[in-house]
Each structure stands twice: as C-alpha cells, then as structure tokens.
C-alpha cells in the first residue's frame, strides 16, 4: 500500500499547488507551453519570424481536439488495463 | 509548433534522429523475434507513453504542459527502442492534432525519444550500480528523463533563435522559463507514477524484467517479498 499512498499524496499535492496558483493569481491563462514558446520566438525575432509550414490537418475546434487527445489516452489505458488484468487473472487462476 | 524550426535546424535534428530510429526498429524486430515474451511489456511501455503524453497538466507557472512517459520504456528497453515508441505518438499528434509537427518531428523525436530516454537509462543504470533502492532509482530515472526532454527542447529552440543581446545562452533562459520550469512538478509526478507502475510490473512480469537484465534474480525475489500477495 505504501507505493499507492505516496503516489496519491504526490498527485494531491500537485493539484493543490495548481489550485493555490490559480487562487492567488496573477491572471494566468493556463495556455500550452508550446504557445508561450511561440510568443518567446516572436519576442526574440521582434515579430519577424513567420512559420514556414502549416499543419496539414488542424482540429476544427477545441472540442474535437480534446476528443482526439482523449482518444489517445483511452487507447493507451485500454492496453495498460488489458495487460495488468490479463496477467493478474492468470496468476490467481 | 509546425514550421517554427527554421532551416538548417529542422534538417539537423532529422539527421540525428533517423539513424537512432532505424537502429531502434532493427533492435525491436530482433527482440520480438528472439524473445516473444517481451512483446506485452513493449506494448505496455508504448501505451504508457500514449496516456502520459496526452495529459496536458496545469503547472505552477500558469501554463500547461504534458509529461512524456518515456522513462518506463527507457528503463525496460533502452533509448533506441523508446525512440521508435515515441515516434508513433509524435506522428499521431502531428498529423491529427496539429500538436508538434511534421517539420519539427526530427527535433521532437530527438528530445522526447532519444535524449530524455538516454538520460533515464543512464540514471537508472547509475543508480543500480550505486545500489540505490529499486523504486527510488525508477523515480529518479523517469523524473530526469521527463525533465531532460524539455531541457533539450529548450536548447533546440535557443540554438535556432539566439537572442540578439544574450546569444544562445540568453534565449536558453527565455525558453527555459517556459519549458524547463513548467515541467518540474510534472516530471516529479511522472516519476512517482512510473515507480508505482513498476511495482505492478514486478508482480506480474518480473521474470521478463530479469531476462531484459533490468534487475537480477536476487533483487526480484526481495522486491516480490516486500509486496503482500
């Protein structure tokens, strides 16, 4: 149980930290770090840099983007769950 | 960040990543042919990267980033195979999510699939040599693999966009506050979660870890004793 408790505490602490920053803030917009890096590039090049290639397919909306991200997580989670379920079941059989 | 890495940098990172990925594919083919029993663990390591790299988490800096999940693959299979697993995720995100990018794929494979896992692998091997506790070694390896990935991303951007006043070092700090700092709490959580998952792997597939020379027979016995049935 020790491992589960440590992991649980770490995750709770992580979100507590997030809530603390969110509550005490400063107008953070919780955007992606990628987007912020693009901002830094604009600053460093004084706005002269133009991306020379566009994404081939862009998710038409934020909803569809989160759908695709969830799909990615779900696929991974199915495999992980199958792996542990299968071998645990085999062990106790 | 499609299109954000200018010539010649995107080519450079492609050139550095390609041979490692090719070697990884060769190693993976051989491993699956010769040791069929490692296949489920390979799938698990890939799935772990899938899940973790899809989770965009808020961090103390007020922005969001995602963990990499590559520490597990690096510890079990080494960096070359992990590069192949990362490539699959990165292609998915670049093609369908406009996250990452085809032009930056080489750079992303290098930071997430090669540099991070190489650090994780070396840290794990180093910790074992120092006889550190197994789960502590996993924690350190996975945390540092995650963090190193973003340090390398920072370096890649700094090299491509040196600051007019501070040069590469100046931009390294500028990008570092975006990536390296945001990533610290995420990397720590990834380390803890990876260590926990390894407890379950020890329970069900510890024997395969011995075959992969991740731990030895004696160490496995001790760890198994510590887990109540």
């Amino acid at each position: 149980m020790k491992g589960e408790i440590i992991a649980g505490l770490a995750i709770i602490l992580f979100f507590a930290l997030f809530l603390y920053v969110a509550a005490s803030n400063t107008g953070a917009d919780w955007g992606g770090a990628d987007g912020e890096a693009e901002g830094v590039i604009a600053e460093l090049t004084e706005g002269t840099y133009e991306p020379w290639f566009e994404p081939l397919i862009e998710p038409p909306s934020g909803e569809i983007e989160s759908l695709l991200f969830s799909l990615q997580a779900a696929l991974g989670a199915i495999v992980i769950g199958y792996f542990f379920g299968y071998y645990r079941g085999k062990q106790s059989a | 960040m499609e299109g954000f890495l200018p010539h010649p940098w995107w080519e450079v990172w492609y050139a550095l990543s390609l041979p490692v990925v090719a070697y990884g594919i060769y190693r993976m083919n051989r491993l699956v042919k010769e040791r069929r029993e490692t296949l489920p663990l390979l799938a698990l390591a890939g799935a772990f990267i899938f899940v973790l790299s899809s989770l965009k988490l808020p961090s103390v800096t007020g922005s969001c980033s995602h963990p990499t999940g590559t520490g597990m693959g690096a510890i079990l299979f080494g960096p070359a195979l992990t590069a192949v697993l990362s490539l699959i995720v990165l292609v998915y995100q670049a093609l369908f999510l406009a996250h990452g990018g085809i032009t930056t794929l080489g750079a992303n494979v290098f930071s997430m699939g090669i540099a991070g896992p190489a650090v994780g692998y070396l840290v794990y091997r180093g910790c074992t040599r120092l006889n550190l506790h197994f789960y502590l070694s996993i924690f350190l390896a996975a945390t540092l693999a995650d963090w190193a990935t973003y340090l390398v991303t920072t370096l890649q951007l700094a090299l491509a966009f040196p600051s007019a006043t501070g040069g590469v070092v100046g931009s390294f700090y500028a990008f570092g506050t975006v990536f390296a700092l945001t990533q610290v709490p995420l990397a720590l959580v990834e380390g803890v979660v990876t260590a926990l998952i390894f407890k379950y792997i020890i329970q069900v597939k510890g024997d395969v870890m011995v075959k992969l020379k991740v731990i030895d027979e004696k160490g496995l016995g001790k760890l198994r004793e510590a887990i109540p049935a």
Side-chain angles (χ1 to χ4, degrees):
Chain A
M1 268 311 276
K2 219 168 102 198
E4 285 82 355
I5 292 170
I6 296 173
L9 284 178
I11 292 169
I12 290 170
L13 191 71
F14 179 84
F15 282 103
L17 211 62
F18 156 60
L19 289 176
Y20 174 75
V21 175
S24 63
N25 214 311
T26 67
D29 52 6
W30 309 105
D34 280 11
E36 291 196 10
E38 286 166 15
V40 174
I41 291 174
E43 246 170 69
L44 286 170
T45 59
E46 284 162 355
T48 55
Y49 187 78
E50 290 288 329
W52 57 275
F53 199 80
E54 293 293 317
L56 301 172
I57 310 167
E58 200 141 3
S61 75
E63 277 69 22
I64 292 169
E65 187 184 355
S66 58
L67 164 76
L68 289 167
F69 267 112
S70 332
L71 205 62
Q72 185 190 328
L75 282 173
I78 287 169
V79 173
I80 294 173
Y82 182 86
F83 174 88
F84 285 112
Y86 182 80
Y87 289 107
R88 282 214 151 185
K90 225 175 164 186
Q91 256 181 354
S92 58
Chain B
M1 295 189 65
E2 188 75 278
F4 269 95
L5 215 50
H7 169 81
W9 290 105
W10 70 272
E11 294 101 320
V12 167
W13 299 113
Y14 256 102
L16 287 172
S17 295
L18 268 175
V20 181
V21 169
Y23 176 65
I25 291 173
Y26 162 78
R27 281 268 319 272
M28 194 182 276
N29 273 331
R30 244 187 49 188
L31 185 74
V32 171
K33 241 182 246 158
E34 288 170 12
R35 293 173 182 267
R36 197 75 196 157
E37 69 275 18
T38 59
L39 191 61
L41 266 186
L42 198 62
L44 180 74
F48 194 65
I49 298 176
F50 250 69
V51 174
L52 263 73
S53 64
S54 77
L55 300 174
K56 291 192 189 173
L57 298 166
S59 182
V60 282
T61 49
S63 55
C64 290
S65 182
H66 53 81
T68 61
T70 53
M72 178 192 284
I75 292 162
L76 289 171
F77 299 105
L81 266 80
T82 311
V84 182
L85 298 175
S86 307
L87 177 72
I88 300 168
V89 180
L90 288 167
V91 167
Y92 172 85
Q93 292 191 339
L95 282 183
F96 301 115
L97 287 159
H99 187 74
I102 294 299
T103 58
T104 51
L105 189 64
N108 286 333
V109 168
F110 189 84
S111 61
M112 176 178 162
I114 299 171
V119 167
Y121 178 80
L122 292 174
V123 168
Y124 178 73
R125 292 290 155 183
C127 288
T128 346
R129 192 153 296 177
L130 292 171
N131 259 330
L132 286 191
H133 190 276
F134 174 73
Y135 296 115
L136 179 64
S137 314
I138 302 279
F139 165 76
L140 289 173
T143 301
L144 292 172
D146 177 318
W147 204 55
T149 297
Y150 284 86
L151 275 185
V152 171
T153 304
T154 302
L155 182 69
Q156 287 170 332
L157 285 168
L159 286 170
F161 297 98
S163 141
T165 48
V168 172
V169 180
S171 349
F172 188 80
Y173 282 118
F175 289 112
T177 51
V178 173
F179 286 118
L181 197 62
T182 306
Q183 204 63 24
V184 171
L186 271 70
L188 290 170
V189 171
E190 171 167 356
V192 174
V193 171
T194 307
L196 180 63
I197 300 271
F198 263 94
K199 179 182 150 188
Y200 304 142
I201 301 177
I202 293 279
Q203 270 177 321
V204 299
K205 276 277 158 218
D207 48 320
V208 178
M209 283 175 61
V210 172
K211 279 187 192 145
L212 287 168
K213 297 200 172 71
V214 178
I215 43 172
D216 55 21
E217 205 72 61
K218 223 175 87 199
L220 175 66
K222 256 200 227 153
L223 288 168
R224 278 206 164 138
E225 264 170 43
I227 305 171

